[in-house]
Amino acid sequence: QVQLVESGGGLVQAGGSLRLSCAASGRYFNNYAMGWFRQAPGKEREFVGKISWSGGTTYYGDSVKGRFIISRDNAKNTVYLQMNSLKPEDTAVYYCAALDSYVIAQGRYWGQGTQVTVSS
């Protein structure tokens, strides 16, 4: 199995940037596509983006396209979410997940989440 731990969340002003990290343990990290999701209070979980096992292919939700960038460093067993031009509506708990399928983007393993708060 894969254990995932998110970090890097915090408080940032609107227009600012923040980079989240997701550290993985386990022998099979490099075999998984990875995804980022978020959930704001009172809202359902929202897809943020995903990245293939090699890091060569990415896809983003409409609300973050052009602002967020997903990358991964398989040598470090880590996936990143670079968030730029942050808006108050980006405030949420952000989760990383190891995906069963890059295309379907169904999470198999999940981290505990990290809080991101964007102030006006």
Side-chain angles (χ1 to χ4, degrees), residues 11 15 28-29 37 40 43 46 50 58 77 84 87 90-92 94 103 118:
L11 176 64
Y28 309 107
F29 172 76
F37 302 81
K43 295 185 177 181
E46 177 186 13
K50 58 184 178 181
T58 57
N77 286 352
N84 302 313
K87 306 174 182 179
D90 293 320
T91 296
Y94 284 72
V103 175
V118 184

Side-chain angles (χ1 to χ4, degrees), residues 5 9-10 13 25-26 46 63 92 105 108 112 117:
V5 180
Q13 291 186 328
S25 62
E46 177 186 13
S63 63
R108 176 65 180 90
Q112 84 290 345
T117 302

Side-chain angles (χ1 to χ4, degrees), residues 7 13 34 54 63 79 82 86 99 103 115:
S7 63
Q13 291 186 328
M34 298 291 295
S54 67
S63 63
V79 62
Q82 177 67 45
L86 284 163
L99 307 177
V103 175
Q115 176 71 48

